[in-house]
């Protein structure tokens, strides 16, 4: 098994009981190949179950606080786009989780370490392991914020506010929705873009981000919030 200290450094959390981490990183194929040698081996499926619930709770809390004017339906779509196999697998890839999995030889040879269904489940199990080991909701919230929320906000995997805004503005006819770059600042490696969304020539939202796409999403989010508030 790869050096778990290296993995702890990657995720920014050191386990008090390393067995929790080992369990979170143990795929069922490894248990099946080694159960005759160690009857105490446990795969990560129970941790996965718990981690899924933990992630859903904290993401729900995050969305509830951030999008205070969004109706239940929009927040449900937002949560589904974040707590899904594709997005969790993307986050798992960033922390090289697949490299640290305990996996059966056959599963590993067939590409299991890169398989989204496996790495996304392991990411959920990892969250559960951190929760159980730390017993501190602040630690779990920080991990989810750093390795899930921030990791998705600038990606297409995150809620597509531009598409949602397009849907809202086209309900009452063929309105003109455009995005305009207002400014860009900062060094080449850390640019900040400011973009505004215009509906029929009137500014309805403004956003900033480290890419034009991220800034457009922020502008669309603000526009959606304004529209929802005006409709209430």
């Amino acid at each position: 098994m790869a050096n778990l200290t290296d993995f702890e450094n990657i995720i920014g959390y050191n386990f008090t009981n390393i067995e929790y981490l080992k369990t979170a990183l143990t795929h069922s194929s490894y248990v099946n190949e080694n159960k005759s040698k160690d009857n105490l081996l446990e795969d990560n499926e129970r941790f996965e179950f718990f981690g899924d619930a933990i992630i859903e709770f904290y993401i729900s809390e995050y969305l509830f606080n951030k999008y205070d004017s969004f109706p239940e339906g929009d927040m449900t779509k937002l949560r589904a786009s974040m707590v899904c196999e594709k997005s969790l697998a993307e986050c798992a890839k960033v922390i090289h989780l697949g490299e640290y999995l305990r996996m059966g030889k056959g599963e590993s040879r067939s590409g299991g370490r890169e398989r989204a269904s496996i790495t996304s489940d392991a990411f959920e199990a990892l969250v559960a392991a951190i929760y159980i080991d730390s017993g501190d909701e602040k630690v779990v919230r920080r991990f989810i914020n750093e390795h899930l929320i921030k990791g998705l906000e600038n990606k297409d995997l995150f809620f597509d506010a531009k598409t949602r805004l397009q849907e809202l503005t086209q309900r009452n006819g063929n309105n003109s929705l455009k995005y305009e770059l207002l400014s860009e600042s900062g060094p080449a490696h850390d640019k900040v873009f400011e973009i505004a969304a215009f509906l029929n020539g009137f500014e309805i939202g403004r956003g900033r981000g480290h890419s034009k796409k991220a800034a457009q999403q922020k502008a669309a989010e603000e526009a959606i919030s304004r529209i929802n508030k005006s409709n209430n």
Side-chain angles (χ1 to χ4, degrees):
M1 192 173 185
N3 189 329
L4 294 184
T5 300
D6 292 341
F7 186 64
E8 288 178 312
N9 291 335
I10 292 172
I11 65 175
Y13 179 76
N14 294 314
F15 279 80
T16 299
N17 186 343
I18 200 67
E19 294 303 316
Y20 291 137
L21 177 57
K22 289 180 179 179
T23 298
L25 297 176
T26 301
H27 187 253
S28 58
S29 61
Y30 182 86
V31 175
N32 291 336
E33 287 188 9
N34 294 276
K35 58 185 176 183
S36 61
K37 302 175 184 177
D38 186 351
N39 291 327
L40 297 178
L41 273 176
E42 180 184 358
D43 64 37
N44 62 8
E45 291 179 2
R46 283 174 54 82
F47 276 34
E48 170 206 336
F49 167 80
F50 191 25
D52 175 64
I54 294 168
I55 291 172
E56 185 163 305
F57 171 79
Y58 282 110
I59 293 300
S60 298
E61 177 188 63
Y62 163 77
L63 296 175
F64 181 82
N65 291 327
K66 181 172 182 178
Y67 301 103
D68 59 355
S69 66
F70 277 31
E72 182 267 346
D74 283 345
M75 289 195 294
T76 298
K77 290 179 181 178
L78 272 162
R79 186 177 63 195
S81 70
M82 299 178 74
V83 188
C84 68
E85 180 180 294
K86 185 177 181 181
S87 62
L88 295 179
E90 179 71 19
C91 296
K93 183 177 181 180
V94 172
I95 61 175
H96 306 285
L97 191 152
E99 299 173 19
Y100 295 88
L101 288 175
R102 292 201 291 186
M103 182 176 291
K105 294 177 181 178
E107 190 70 60
S108 182
R109 283 195 296 266
S110 66
R113 295 184 185 279
E114 292 79 40
R115 190 168 296 125
S117 60
I118 292 176
T119 58
S120 62
D121 287 349
F123 187 88
E124 291 174 336
L126 175 62
V127 169
I130 293 173
Y131 183 92
I132 296 168
D133 186 72
S134 68
D136 188 341
E137 66 176 45
K138 292 181 180 178
V139 172
V140 182
R141 182 178 283 109
R142 182 168 60 247
F143 177 84
I144 291 174
N145 185 60
E146 290 294 325
H147 298 288
L148 177 57
I149 294 172
K150 286 185 178 179
L152 296 178
E153 282 184 331
N154 292 331
K155 294 179 180 291
D156 291 335
L157 294 170
F158 194 58
F159 173 66
D160 190 357
K162 289 179 64 180
T163 298
R164 178 61 175 148
L165 180 59
Q166 185 73 26
E167 293 172 351
L168 288 173
T169 56
Q170 297 306 313
R171 283 179 178 175
N172 300 315
N174 189 25
N175 293 305
S176 174
L177 177 63
K178 296 181 179 180
Y179 296 87
E180 293 184 12
L181 177 65
L182 302 180
S183 67
E184 59 180 275
S185 58
H189 69 280
D190 194 28
K191 286 278 189 182
V192 175
F193 300 90
E194 183 173 29
I195 287 178
F198 290 87
L199 181 64
N200 298 328
F202 294 94
E203 182 179 328
I204 58 173
R206 185 176 293 202
R208 292 163 62 86
H210 290 290
S211 69
K212 292 180 181 179
K213 182 179 293 185
Q216 288 176 346
Q217 290 286 345
K218 294 292 185 182
E221 288 175 8
E222 182 178 282
I224 292 171
S225 181
R226 288 182 178 180
I227 291 172
N228 286 334
K229 285 180 179 178
S230 67
N231 290 337
N232 291 336

